[in-house]
Amino acid sequence: MGFYFCINLERALRDEGLWDEHTEDVEEIVRLSEAIIGPYEGSAEHGGGVKRVLCHETGIVTGIVLPLNFVATKCRVRSIRWKAIELMKRTGRQEGL
């Protein structure tokens, strides 16, 4: 899974509103990340931690924290931003952050 944004760097440095044009893209990052990470541990569908453990053992989570960090820092839609933060907490990984 990869995420690519083609943007004007000069504009990105001076206009945070640029990222508002990519709200659908960041929603997709969060949706795909949640599908990989799995449901919240406290939920009925969690199934005893199996999906979370599987993600850690297979290394699928590697490469999820950085896109989620991007969403958490650049997206100005509060619900999307906080969902990304919640997902990062669930992974228990840092990936150089």
Side-chain angles (χ1 to χ4, degrees):
M1 172 172 47
F3 304 103
Y4 302 96
F5 288 97
C6 295
I7 57 150
N8 178 318
L9 182 59
E10 185 178 318
R11 180 176 170 210
L13 292 174
R14 64 180 156 74
D15 180 14
E16 283 292 316
L18 165 74
W19 302 110
D20 294 343
E21 298 169 16
H22 298 281
T23 300
E24 289 180 12
D25 297 321
V26 296
E27 281 181 309
E28 183 74 358
I29 291 170
V30 170
R31 188 185 68 71
L32 292 171
S33 297
E34 185 169 33
I36 292 169
I37 293 168
Y40 179 66
E41 284 183 356
S43 71
E45 61 185 277
H46 184 262
V50 174
K51 192 153 188 177
R52 182 172 180 182
V53 171
L54 177 63
C55 288
H56 286 285
E57 289 177 359
T58 60
I60 293 173
V61 176
T62 304
I64 294 227
V65 172
L66 291 176
L68 287 173
N69 184 63
F70 171 81
V71 172
T73 57
K74 295 297 182 186
C75 182
R76 298 193 308 173
V77 178
R78 181 182 216 130
S79 60
I80 299 171
R81 187 174 62 243
W82 281 104
K83 184 66 171 182
I85 292 168
E86 176 209 337
L87 290 169
M88 283 193 298
K89 287 179 181 178
R90 276 201 254 161
T91 65
R93 310 234 355 184
Q94 291 183 322
E95 295 179 17
L97 295 179

